Amino acid sequence: MANPLPKWIMKHYSTLWNKFNNKEFRYRNASKTLKNKKMISLILSELKKSGWLDIKLDPKDSRKRIYKLRLPEEIIREIK
């Protein structure tokens, strides 16, 4: 179940969506895209907690994560 995002997180979701759409990406890709190295973990955590981001373990290295944004249409249906 997705929840509405605070405006500051929505801005970051939008930036990530414009770059990756619903393709998988890694932490380093998010870091390069958002250019806010101190806040990346918080941003990704908030997106996950709110149901806007899926996370899975990297099959090649279980210490790393693979991220995928959920479709906005899917989230809107859940929020209504």
Side-chain angles (χ1 to χ4, degrees):
M1 181 79 173
N3 296 311
L5 291 175
K7 190 174 182 177
W8 71 277
I9 294 287
M10 180 55 90
K11 178 183 165 197
H12 295 297
Y13 172 86
S14 183
T15 301
L16 290 169
W17 182 262
N18 287 333
K19 176 73 174 179
F20 303 110
N21 292 309
N22 66 332
K23 296 177 186 155
E24 293 181 343
F25 60 95
R26 290 175 168 63
Y27 185 92
R28 69 179 177 277
N29 305 117
S31 180
K32 288 178 187 175
T33 301
L34 296 176
K35 300 175 185 157
N36 189 343
K37 303 207 185 302
K38 294 181 181 180
M39 298 290 289
I40 299 297
S41 293
L42 176 62
I43 293 164
L44 295 174
S45 175
E46 288 296 320
L47 286 170
K48 172 66 176 152
K49 280 194 281 187
S50 296
W52 292 62
L53 178 71
D54 292 326
I55 301 173
K56 67 181 183 179
L57 292 177
D58 187 328
K60 296 177 185 171
D61 184 349
S62 62
R63 297 170 295 170
K64 297 182 180 179
R65 308 281 185 268
I66 298 173
Y67 303 97
K68 185 176 178 184
L69 297 169
R70 294 187 57 214
L71 296 169
E73 298 86 5
E74 193 179 280
I75 295 167
I76 290 169
R77 281 193 299 272
E78 287 185 18
I79 292 175
K80 287 186 174 184

